[in-house]
Amino acid sequence: MAAHDLITGQCRWMEGSGPHAEIVITSRVRLARNLAGRPFPHLLDDKGKQGVLAAVASAAGAGAVAQRYGKLTAIQVSELPALDRQILVEKHLISPQHAQPGGGKALLVNGDGSIGIMVNEEDHLRIQCLLPALQLHEAWRTATGVDDALEETLDYAFDEKHGFLTACPTNVGTGLRASVMVHLPGLVMTKQIGRVLSALSQVGLAVRGFYGEGTEAVGNLFQVSNQITLGQGEEEILGNLSAVVKQIIDQERSAREALVREARVQLADRVGRAYGTLQNAHILNSQEALALMSELRLGLDLKLVKGVDTRVLNELLVAIQPASLQGAAGREMQPFERDVHRAQVVRNRLVTIQS
Amino acid sequence: MAAHDLITGQCRWMEGSGPHAEIVITSRVRLARNLAGRPFPHLLDDKGKQGVLAAVASAAGAGAVAQRYGKLTAIQVSELPALDRQILVEKHLISPQHAQPGGGKALLVNGDGSIGIMVNEEDHLRIQCLLPALQLHEAWRTATGVDDALEETLDYAFDEKHGFLTACPTNVGTGLRASVMVHLPGLVMTKQIGRVLSALSQVGLAVRGFYGEGTEAVGNLFQVSNQITLGQGEEEILGNLSAVVKQIIDQERSAREALVREARVQLADRVGRAYGTLQNAHILNSQEALALMSELRLGLDLKLVKGVDTRVLNELLVAIQPASLQGAAGREMQPFERDVHRAQVVRNRLVTIQS
């Protein structure tokens, strides 16, 4: 698969089906790994990074990985135009850091974007599995399976006492970061979100925005992940996160039911207006679009409106982002032009025969 | 025709076609007349008012009127429930004053509501002709024709020096009040409306809201009428008003063209959002509904949206009013319930297959 297909195509996570898909958008597991006997990427020169990439690409192309997980395509991220790098970020295929300028950065990725290996990000390897809905254990099984298959060829930097060694101490140990993207409009509307988020930090979980660390929670989307990678086994980390996410799901579900029970007309009004605005606006900034899409997503779950598939909303989550908008249009655009184009993209996707 | 048909049926003025119908909603001419030798209504007891009504009904039923203008149905306004009286106001068939409690008030009206005679309002007779679009002279010809036909039977209070005598001195002389309802969103949006309205008062014209004296200009609808009834002939009054209205039309047209030329996308956005909100909201108060319908009407004229007939918007102007809403639903409603019902009525009328 060419980089171009990946940039324009759809990803597995956008399917929008699976357990608790009405609240959990994605489940992601990533493993930080480094090759033994080589400096971490920030200490490597270009040649050193190319050496890492050659080793990883060779291992990924070898029997075990390809047999079990299909062919991974290598994308030389550093050689892509900035806009294309940003599109990969918007699709959640690479981290914002991995899109920064600098040599030797690559992505090995399967056809639907559910398996990816960032090479020469902060660590030599960042193995990622990204699935729709609440599928943390499935994502974990895939990521660790890829990890095992790679290890048949690669020699990882591993310490009996500390576990996997990583460039940043916050990842030492399991090197595991598991996260879920949850949509919590009910908790936001009923003003319970502050309490829920502060409870999460007390049990060692981090909450971030739609694009990870340092980004804001727009569109009522929150990314919840484990903070601790050391001193807990992988199963324990995943078990803790899953248990907490299930509590959040219950609370969000209760909040939605309370809203329908106590303010059905007001909610239908809000959802309807959001839908009508998305279908008819000619200028939409990113923040407003995400806010309205959140209300529409809620309304669809509660059957207050119909006619839009979750997949469409997930695809739009990415399609309305600045780089994806410009990539699809084939040209750079100023912010106002993007707002106009964003509204057009949304209108075109949401045109339905009303029933 | 029964009172019931008139209350639930559509009126001629709602047709929404005719000269300058994109800016002028209605043209209205009314003539204040009193019968000679009888006290004005406010000095009459019930029996006296019944005498006036009997005389007027007899004249209206006599040859000349019926032959030329068709049968007029007599509605005993005083005997209608308050809600039905208010519906007649909302349809512009009677004045707000004529809907107040008190005996002896009647309306003689033709099948499409274009010709009406209020009996025992402030004067014994208020002959009204109400037409769609800019048809002041047509309305005048009809009103004065009815007047002439009635005069073949009735003896009017008339003074050689002062002209027709009326209960209030502001109507003495011709007894003529001509008015047009104009829709001026362009002048409002471009902030020229203040200048235009103050110029109107300087040439002796009055500007009022959608329901006449003392009502606010909502939905960018303004009623422009002559102040002076004495010292000018009917043709002069009508000619002045027509000339000024044509200037207003030109200015509104220029303002709309400027908006399209200089802010087309912003206007399309505003109009689209208004349309989407009207089609999807579940709670709409009267003021918001009128404001959104004004933007939709503008967008239809400028071809920024399509699929809604002007007639539908005119019917909705009345259908969303409190009494009409309750009349159609067959029950009284509290304000919030009306807002919910209003949104439903609007949604149902504006559901279209989008093209």
Side-chain angles (χ1 to χ4, degrees), chain A residues 77-201:
Chain A
V77 174
S78 297
E79 293 171 20
L80 292 177
L83 194 69
D84 287 352
R85 297 200 303 270
Q86 191 55 32
I87 292 175
L88 293 176
V89 174
E90 292 175 354
K91 291 185 153 189
H92 298 278
L93 296 175
I94 65 173
S95 62
Q97 300 90 302
H98 208 48
Q100 294 300 310
K105 289 170 180 164
L107 171 68
L108 305 178
V109 65
N110 72 343
D112 64 8
S114 61
I115 297 174
I117 305 168
M118 282 187 281
V119 181
N120 293 318
E121 207 244 25
E122 188 177 280
D123 297 297
H124 292 151
L125 294 87
R126 289 275 176 105
I127 303 164
Q128 169 175 288
C129 178
L130 179 62
L131 296 176
L134 184 58
Q135 303 197 70
L136 272 176
H137 286 89
E138 292 77 358
W140 158 248
R141 271 196 297 275
T142 300
T144 200
V146 172
D147 185 42
D148 290 345
L150 288 168
E151 214 176 0
E152 293 179 14
T153 312
L154 296 175
D155 186 16
Y156 284 152
F158 184 83
D159 178 275
E160 283 303 326
K161 186 175 164 208
H162 295 106
F164 292 101
L165 302 180
T166 55
C168 176
T170 58
N171 292 308
V172 165
T174 56
L176 167 67
R177 182 90 65 210
S179 66
V180 290
M181 181 79 67
V182 284
H183 180 231
L184 306 178
L187 291 173
V188 172
M189 285 183 191
T190 57
K191 303 195 195 309
Q192 299 176 75
I193 192 70
R195 180 179 56 70
V196 171
L197 297 188
S198 77
L200 291 180
S201 66

Side-chain angles (χ1 to χ4, degrees), chain B residues 30-33 95 97 107 116-128 166-168 171 175 177:
Chain B
R30 72 110 169 98
L31 300 171
R33 298 290 183 260
S95 62
Q97 300 89 303
L107 171 69
I117 305 167
M118 285 187 280
V119 180
N120 293 318
E121 207 242 28
E122 189 178 280
D123 296 296
H124 293 152
L125 294 87
R126 289 278 175 103
I127 302 164
Q128 167 173 290
T166 55
C168 176
N171 293 308
R177 181 90 65 211

Side-chain angles (χ1 to χ4, degrees), chain A residues 265-346:
Chain A
V265 177
Q266 288 82 350
L267 196 61
D269 184 57
R270 193 162 163 174
V271 164
R273 286 168 184 256
Y275 194 13
T277 302
L278 289 168
Q279 284 188 315
N280 292 280
H282 284 248
I283 304 171
L284 270 181
N285 68 36
S286 179
Q287 201 163 349
E288 186 188 12
L290 287 168
L292 296 173
M293 282 161 53
S294 168
E295 293 181 357
L296 175 54
R297 190 185 286 267
L298 175 66
L300 291 162
D301 172 45
L302 297 176
K303 312 230 183 304
L304 296 170
V305 287
K306 53 186 173 174
V308 183
D309 201 82
T310 307
R311 169 190 275 276
V312 171
L313 286 180
N314 286 349
E315 290 174 10
L316 278 177
L317 275 184
V318 172
I320 65 164
Q321 299 297 331
S324 298
L325 271 181
Q326 295 173 85
R331 67 177 195 280
E332 288 193 30
M333 297 182 207
Q334 295 303 305
F336 179 74
E337 197 184 353
R338 287 207 298 268
D339 290 350
V340 172
H341 195 69
R342 180 178 294 111
Q344 192 181 0
V345 166
V346 171

Side-chain angles (χ1 to χ4, degrees), chain B residues 190 254-267:
Chain B
T190 58
S254 296
R256 292 184 188 186
E257 284 163 6
L259 283 168
V260 169
R261 195 170 56 242
E262 289 159 27
R264 185 182 179 89
V265 177
Q266 288 81 351
L267 196 62

